[in-house]
Structure formats: C-alpha cells, structure tokens
Amino acid sequence: MAAPILALQNARITFGGGDLFSDISLGVEPGMRIALMGRNGSGKSTLLKAIAGSIELDGGERFVQAGTRISYLQQQPELIPGRTVREQVATGLPKSMTEEGQETGYLAAQVLDGLGIEGDRQLQTLSGGEARRVSLAEALVSNPDVLLLDEPTNHLDITTILWLEEELKSFRGALLIISHDRQFLANLTNRLFWMDRGRLRTHGKGFSAFEAWSEDILAREEVEAKKLDK
Ligand SMILES: Nc1ncnc2c1ncn2[C@@H]1O[C@H](COP(=O)(O)OP(=O)(O)O)[C@@H](O)[C@H]1O
Ligand SMILES: [Mg+2]
C-alpha cells in the first residue's frame, strides 16, 4: 500500500446540536479514483470540504503530505463578476508560479482551448453551463495531485460531460468524485467511500460494485438487528 498523500484521522464535524459525522478516518493515495457515495444530506459535500481543508474539523486531524497540490471544485462554484474567463482560470494556478512572475497565461489558454470558451469574455456574460466549465478549468489548470469534485456534471450538456470524462481519464492525480451520474462514476472510479449514517465505509472497487456491496452490508445489518431483537 502506498503512503497516503492526504488523510483524515478520527475526523468530526458538528453542526448546531449534533455530530454530522465523527470518527472518520481515510487516506487518499496517489492515483486512487474514488466515488464518494451517500444519500442526500448524509454529509458528502461537508466531508469533501473537510478533505479540501476549506472547513475546519471539530475533532480529529487532517494530514497533507508537503508539496501536495489539492484542487477542489465546490458544488456551487463562486465566480466573481468583473473578471475575464482567463483571469478566473489563472486563479487556479499555484501561488508559487504566479508570484515568481512566470508566464502562466499559456497554461490557462491551453485549458481554455479544450473548453471552447473565449478567454476575453466577462464572467457575468456566461451561461450557467459555461460558468461551470470555467470552474472546471480553474480546478484543472494547476494539474493537481488531488482533485476533489462535487457534482461536476450538474448543468453540463452531454458534449461537455463527455469532454470532462476524457479529461479525467487521462488525469494522473488522485480523484474524489461526488456525482449522481452513474455512467460517469462507473467509467472513472476504482474505489468506493460510502457515507452512511455518520460513518464512512470503504471498498477497494469502483462504482460498478456499489449496489451489490452496499445492499449486502444493509442485509447483514438487518439480520444482526433481528438476532438482537430475539
Ligand atoms: N454550514 C452548515 N451549517 C449547518 N448545517 C449544515 C451546514 N452545511 C451542511 N449542513 C447540514 O449538514 C447535512 C449534510 O449536508 P451535506 O454535507 O451538504 O450533505 P450531502 O452533500 O451528502 O447532501 C445537511 O443536513 C445540511 O443541512
Ligand atoms: Mg452535496
């Protein structure tokens, strides 16, 4: 087993009164392609934010191997009006590159080329689907070691979904994806994380194995519960 480049240990998040989850430990190793499953409201988006480091844990610890680049595409990306598409995509580049004054425009241009959106356009003129694509470009431009995607195919047309799938197939970093798009997950993932009633279960196979695996676990739980009842 390779060493994880990013890990949570006994992670806990509390909202209002109770724990949304506690005692979650996980490791992301290079090249893992993980589908993060779970019902609506089970805490998937919150767990992804905790992994991204965009929210603080209420308990437990987060480790990131030094030098690891993490990119996170949130469920509702924020785009600041007044910027051009090129400027927005360039915000996804690591500070080390932009501060050294390296010529980074060509990197943004390359990603934009694949997207088919003019770099000079103002963000406020974009349609919802275009805005989403710009956020994807921003997440991809640094060629991250870990890419975290929360519902990346929402509001995308089929052409763009297929484009994204191809991009992610050739992406060599670790991937963690939340999505309702079963085909997308089946084509891209080789690991499962399942948020279920405040716990995280993991499985060494991709989305195609999810149904059989989760149903088996639930069926066994039911048998155990009946035994206890007696
Ligand atoms: N910032 C927050 N403050 C309070 N409650 C929150 C916050 N973010 C999410 N929640 C609640 O936590 C639960 C899990 O949300 P979320 O992580 O978005 O789940 P999922 O992505 O699986 O649908 C929901 O009940 C949601 O209302
Ligand atoms: Mg969510």
Side-chain angles (χ1 to χ4, degrees), residues 3 5 17 36 50 91 107 116 133 144 148 152-154 200 222 230:
I5 48 179
L36 175 52
T91 64
L107 282 174
R133 283 193 272 161
L148 308 170
T153 64
N154 276 9
L200 187 78
E222 208 169 310
K230 285 180 190 167

Side-chain angles (χ1 to χ4, degrees), residues 129-151:
E130 285 173 331
R132 185 110 201 136
R133 283 193 272 161
V134 169
S135 299
L136 285 167
E138 183 186 333
L140 286 168
V141 70
S142 68
N143 193 24
D145 304 293
V146 181
L147 180 58
L148 308 170
L149 300 170
D150 196 343
E151 307 274 9

Side-chain angles (χ1 to χ4, degrees), residues 17-216:
D19 289 347
L20 176 61
F21 55 74
S22 61
D23 244 345
I24 286 192
S25 298
L26 59 88
V28 177
E29 294 166 28
M32 272 190 174
R33 306 165 79 80
I34 304 156
L36 175 52
M37 307 301 298
R39 291 191 182 165
N40 278 339
S42 61
K44 301 181 299 296
S45 291
T46 306
L47 179 62
L48 209 66
K49 284 178 199 165
I51 293 171
S54 73
I55 57 169
E56 294 280 328
L57 298 175
D58 295 303
E61 300 209 61
R62 174 174 176 269
F63 303 94
V64 181
Q65 197 180 89
T68 301
R69 277 202 302 267
I70 302 170
S71 246
Y72 163 53
L73 178 70
Q74 54 187 345
Q75 197 163 359
Q76 247 111 36
E78 287 160 43
L79 297 173
I80 298 162
R83 280 191 185 151
T84 65
V85 165
R86 185 177 295 105
E87 284 164 348
Q88 183 65 38
V89 172
T91 64
L93 291 165
K95 283 202 183 60
S96 56
M97 287 178 80
T98 41
E99 273 166 8
E100 282 165 19
Q102 293 185 35
E103 181 42 69
T104 51
Y106 73 96
L107 282 174
Q110 252 175 13
V111 178
L112 284 170
D113 231 28
L115 280 177
I117 300 177
E118 274 299 320
D120 293 333
R121 282 179 64 189
Q122 294 285 320
L123 294 182
Q124 61 267 28
T125 69
L126 301 178
S127 70
E130 285 173 331
R132 185 110 201 136
R133 283 193 272 161
V134 169
S135 299
L136 285 167
E138 183 186 333
L140 286 168
V141 70
S142 68
N143 193 24
D145 304 293
V146 181
L147 180 58
L148 308 170
L149 300 170
D150 196 343
E151 307 274 9
T153 64
N154 276 9
H155 313 299
L156 292 184
D157 56 70
I158 184 70
T159 317
T160 314
I161 291 175
L162 294 176
W163 168 81
L164 176 62
E165 210 174 285
E166 288 311 310
E167 287 289 307
L168 295 178
K169 270 183 191 157
S170 56
F171 176 69
R172 288 290 134 244
L175 266 178
L176 220 163
I177 310 173
I178 300 172
S179 178
H180 288 105
D181 187 330
R182 304 166 74 86
Q183 197 57 51
F184 188 74
L185 288 179
N187 291 343
L188 288 171
T189 63
N190 59 19
R191 287 282 189 296
L192 285 162
F193 283 7
W194 179 26
M195 278 296 272
D196 179 33
R197 291 160 287 173
R199 295 172 55 194
L200 187 78
R201 301 170 194 274
T202 63
H203 188 51
K205 287 189 177 164
F207 175 78
S208 316
F210 179 67
E211 220 157 295
W213 173 61
S214 58
E215 278 171 11
D216 184 53

